[in-house]
Amino acid sequence: MVDRISTFSQTQQLTNNNLRIQSNYAKTQTQVSSGLKSDTYQGLGGDVSRILNLESDYKTISTRSENAQSALDQTNVMFDKWEGL
Amino acid sequence: MSLISSLHTSFAGLRNTESNMNVISSNVTNADKAGYTRKTYETEYTTTSSGTSPSGGTSVTANYDQYLFKTVVSDATEAGYYETTSDYLSQYVDAFGSNTDTTTLSSAMSDFDASLSALGVTPDDESLKAQVVQDAETLSYQLRDVSSSIQNLRAQADEGIALAVDSVNQSLQTIETLNKKITVAEALGQSTADFEDERRAALENIASYMDVDYFIDGDNKMNIYVSGLPLLDSTAHYLSYTTAGTVTDDTVYPGGFSALSLNGVDITNKLTGGALGALIEMRDTTLPGEQDKLDELAVTLMEQMNSLLNEGTSLPPRSEMIGDVEGLGGGSSLSGASGTIRIATVDDSGTIINAAVIDLSTTATMSDLLTAINTALGPDVTASLTSDGALQITANNSGEGIAISQMDSALGSPAQNFSDYFGLNGLFTGTGASDIFVSDYLRENSDYLATSSLSDTAAIGSAGVNPGDGTIASDMAEVFSASVSFSAAGDFAATSTSLQNYADRIIATAANAADAAVVQADSVSSIYSSTKSALENMSGVNVDEEMSRMVEFESKYQASATLISVLQDMFDELITAVR
């Protein structure tokens, strides 16, 4: 069979390919400008679980650090009071 | 043989060339029409003893692979299913916010945990109580927000089903009309090729919505079946569907959503392919499963927080406590209640004004309980039932409030402490993610967060409630990292994990599913477009090809015209000779 193409189908395919390239280019530009792989959970796919775990662990550690500082401050206040006696 | 005969033959050649040119012009004009196939003029020839000459013909599709079209139809169904699924899952995961948002369900959960933990360290800081209540409100809002997004998506799927049904019905009507036109055209010996193009485009539209079987019968009529039921045979059988209007998590199929019926037969569960199959699956299975997971998270969060907070008592104390549990009456049974509680009236500094221990094993009914409290602490305290049937305990003297120590009280099954059983000091109210709210008394005044404890032994006149006790807030914060049991919900099996992990897992699973669905939809769409492209390349119009055909017919036309002109000259010479 002779290879043939249809003009309309070819034009559409070219347009679709162009759009896909533009879309990928825009995505990459966004990544470069924002410094993020993606700003949506969907775009991060399998990494979401790890990111959320890290975020909540980071929050927990920050809180513990603040709490420890707060406890230290309170202890220092009590110690000062005791020394004053 | 005569000049007249030559003239007739040449003239037939001219007409045949004109018909061919007509087909070429139609091909070029419609080259960009979706579904249009290249036509050629199939000439009929009449052969007599004096020779062969064109005597008419019809335009037919040049080259069409019916089997490849079958593949296009089934690929359209696959693409319709996966594109719809990926579209809905993407919208669902967006409901959780984005990873650049400052407030998401996950961050609301960790913020709440952090503020509880800070309150545990500095329990007398009332601004931290306000922070805890505010974070609890944010968390409950996030749960309600995602829950409402799920129900909106289900409503959207419901409307999508109705729109899809309209589109399928329109295409069915088109095919039915085209079937009739094709029958008439065939009877008149006219071309049916253009009608067949439109019929195939309409079938492809139906196939993108549902998995159909079709065949062309001996009369060149298209017959369509879905799940063994006729959609189009001698007549079209239309689908019918009515949208539900308002959609909540209680709106389910069957009952809440109407049946998608074909000729009075409910085919809702028979449609598994195409966009309609995907919409039904989203509406009835996938999204309700996600709602179940969110409900499980909300209910576990409520149970854990309320159970711990009900262990405590607030400082300053509340002058009036009204339980969340309604519908109780004087005769409501409290059988099985055991242990004791200590109820006291305390002032704003936590000093006990009056106190009594109530033995719950002696209170078989609500009336018994009310009597026991009123007898032990009256007239300082009044225990009663509200008009909604909730337990109400009021301190009657100004500047005094109620404090309760749960001691070893146990009511109901599974056993709860006294305050938890009646919902006196709950943090959250509601039945699931769609209606979880922070209790009204805390929204009005966050100071009433019951993170302190009433001493079981402190005497009347001494300090009974210590504002520096942060045990309950710390215990509440611990729940976020400790393992708690979750029942099976949606596609999650029963598990034991922390609240934070469960919330993160819901988001991560949704993101994974949406990402996988997009990849799958891309792959299926790409297969669909390449199959379609192969078919179109085989059967579509190539404008250059038409141009070369045009040149060919142009020269043929010129030759026929020259022949007629020469014959004219010959006739003239013959007439001159005769004269």
Side-chain angles (χ1 to χ4, degrees), chain A residues 1 4-10 12-13 36 38-42 44-46 48-49 52-53 55-56 59-60 63-64 67 70-71 74, chain B residues 31-32 38 90 96-100 104 111 114 117-118 121-122 500-501 504 508 511-512 515 518 533 536-538 540-543 545:
Chain A
M1 188 190 136
R4 76 186 291 277
I5 55 140
S6 103
T7 311
F8 175 58
S9 151
Q10 179 69 3
Q12 267 214 321
Q13 208 169 339
L36 296 170
S38 169
D39 59 358
T40 64
Y41 286 129
Q42 184 191 329
L44 296 167
V48 171
S49 174
L52 291 178
N53 279 341
E55 277 178 355
S56 54
K59 183 84 186 175
T60 308
T63 310
R64 281 186 185 164
N67 288 347
S70 172
Q74 287 178 36
Chain B
D32 60 349
R38 174 181 175 243
S90 299
F96 288 104
S98 102
N99 52 325
T100 52
T104 62
D111 286 349
S117 163
V121 174
T122 321
Q500 181 75 52
N501 273 350
D504 291 351
N512 262 337
D515 187 40
V518 167
S533 180
E536 281 175 351
N537 279 337
M538 187 189 289
V541 176
N542 182 312
V543 175
E545 186 183 29

Side-chain angles (χ1 to χ4, degrees), chain B residues 3 30 45 61 75 113 130 133 136 149 172 175 201 225 264 295 314 318 320 350 356 382 384 399 427 451 521 538 556:
Chain B
L3 288 178
N30 294 304
Y45 292 91
T61 293
D75 286 352
D113 174 18
V133 171
S149 298
L172 272 178
I175 297 176
Y225 287 80
D295 282 342
S314 67
R318 287 154 69 193
E320 179 185 79
T382 304
S384 59
L427 176 58
T451 49
M538 187 189 289
K556 191 178 167 189

Side-chain angles (χ1 to χ4, degrees), chain B residues 2-12 563-564 567-568 571:
Chain B
S2 66
L3 288 178
I4 291 287
S5 163
S6 301
L7 188 65
H8 280 160
T9 307
S10 300
F11 189 62
L563 252 174
I564 289 170
L567 283 168
Q568 165 94 45
F571 272 119

